[in-house]
Amino acid sequence: MATSMGKASLILVSVCVALNVIYWFPPSEYNLYPKCVMYQVTGLYCPGCGGTRAAHHLVHGRFLDACRMNVFATVFLPLLISVLVWQKIVTDRKKPFLTLSASPRLQWTLGMSVIAFGIARNFPWPPFCWLAPH
Amino acid sequence: MSTGLPKNPYENPSLHGVSEKVPNYLVQSILVTLCCCPPFGMVAIVYAVQVNSMRAANDVTGARLRSRMAKIWCWIALGCGIALSIYFVIIYFAVAGLEVEQQKFSGM
């Protein structure tokens, strides 16, 4: 019990630190964030590109600006994290944190949508280029 | 005993199905795809996605194989991501240092 409390508080503290860093230092002006390796090597956007900028907009409450940077990370990652936390706290405490209990079909859809998003946002024409950070 | 057929619990898919859990590394591979190295992360996702459906079809061996492959590709993606990030940080500082040197020369 004590160790799990310690672990939980450690996670909480690091999340608070991360949120503060992302709040006070906008990624478009500071170089302290790691840049996307894929973008630097190939010039293609990966499914996570724009994620830190989106997080910066999101902690400032600018949801639409965050969506412009990375729709998927803005909408989906908070959802995924809250589902995982919910599972850990309410449904099943004994499970490891990073296991998602969902139907195989839902998990398949999830994984494939990440890949599809990563591919789609690299097409330069209108319906798709809105997915890229802009 | 009176019902006839002796049952081996290890050959009974329903019994087997309840007991054995195969971790699918879906969340890990999604995170690794978003944060580290998309090409290898995508491979990990493709493997991770198959684990649960094979598990649902009671193909434990296949599910375990996919699970292991997903795990391996997650680690490869993570390693590549970290290694390339370090490489780019080094390049960044090297370029910055070079620019400082050039400014020194142009100032003289």
Side-chain angles (χ1 to χ4, degrees):
Chain A
M1 193 63 197
T3 52
S4 76
M5 285 295 281
K7 223 189 262 178
S9 53
L10 191 68
I11 291 171
L12 211 62
V13 166
S14 41
V15 166
C16 286
V17 169
L19 283 180
N20 268 293
V21 169
I22 203 80
Y23 187 90
W24 293 110
F25 300 101
S28 47
E29 291 169 33
Y30 292 87
N31 275 330
L32 76 156
Y33 303 100
K35 291 204 177 55
C36 179
V37 168
M38 169 113 162
Y39 184 70
Q40 284 178 308
V41 173
T42 61
L44 296 171
Y45 295 116
C46 78
C49 276
T52 39
R53 279 166 286 171
H56 174 72
H57 286 309
L58 204 58
V59 292
H60 281 269
R62 298 190 292 263
F63 184 75
L64 287 179
D65 283 333
C67 281
R68 283 179 56 193
M69 290 302 151
N70 190 333
V71 192
F72 195 79
T74 309
V75 176
F76 162 75
L77 268 189
L79 208 66
L80 179 70
I81 291 169
S82 39
V83 167
L84 288 177
V85 170
W86 177 262
Q87 276 183 2
K88 188 68 186 173
I89 295 174
V90 180
T91 323
D92 194 350
R93 283 165 189 244
K94 292 191 190 87
K95 259 188 191 167
F97 181 63
L98 287 175
T99 46
L100 192 66
S101 15
S103 70
R105 186 171 294 174
L106 185 61
Q107 301 208 1
W108 188 89
T109 314
L110 202 63
M112 285 305 150
S113 58
V114 175
I115 295 177
F117 178 69
I119 294 168
R121 66 196 317 217
N122 283 297
F123 295 133
W125 49 83
F128 298 114
C129 68
W130 294 332
L131 298 173
H134 62 275
Chain B
M1 292 302 264
S2 59
T3 49
L5 288 172
K7 277 189 177 172
N8 181 357
Y10 296 103
E11 284 176 359
N12 187 337
S14 61
L15 278 182
H16 210 99
V18 178
S19 60
E20 177 111 11
K21 283 194 173 171
V22 183
N24 72 334
Y25 292 89
L26 185 68
V27 178
Q28 283 95 327
S29 38
I30 287 178
L31 289 180
V32 122
T33 308
L34 291 183
C35 305
C36 300
C37 187
F40 298 141
M42 283 180 182
V43 179
I45 287 182
V46 169
Y47 276 117
V49 144
Q50 296 173 354
V51 172
N52 278 35
S53 49
M54 297 198 91
R55 191 66 205 75
N58 272 319
D59 185 356
V60 182
T61 325
R64 251 195 236 127
L65 180 69
R66 264 67 174 183
S67 169
R68 206 168 65 227
M69 291 307 283
K71 188 178 167 187
I72 289 170
W73 281 106
C74 276
W75 281 114
I76 292 175
L78 187 65
C80 276
I82 292 173
L84 281 172
S85 303
I86 291 170
Y87 171 75
F88 276 111
V89 166
I90 291 169
I91 291 288
Y92 176 78
F93 279 113
V95 170
L98 231 95
E99 275 170 3
V100 170
E101 288 294 313
Q102 281 173 347
Q103 277 169 3
K104 248 193 252 169
F105 277 114
S106 62
M108 271 161 68

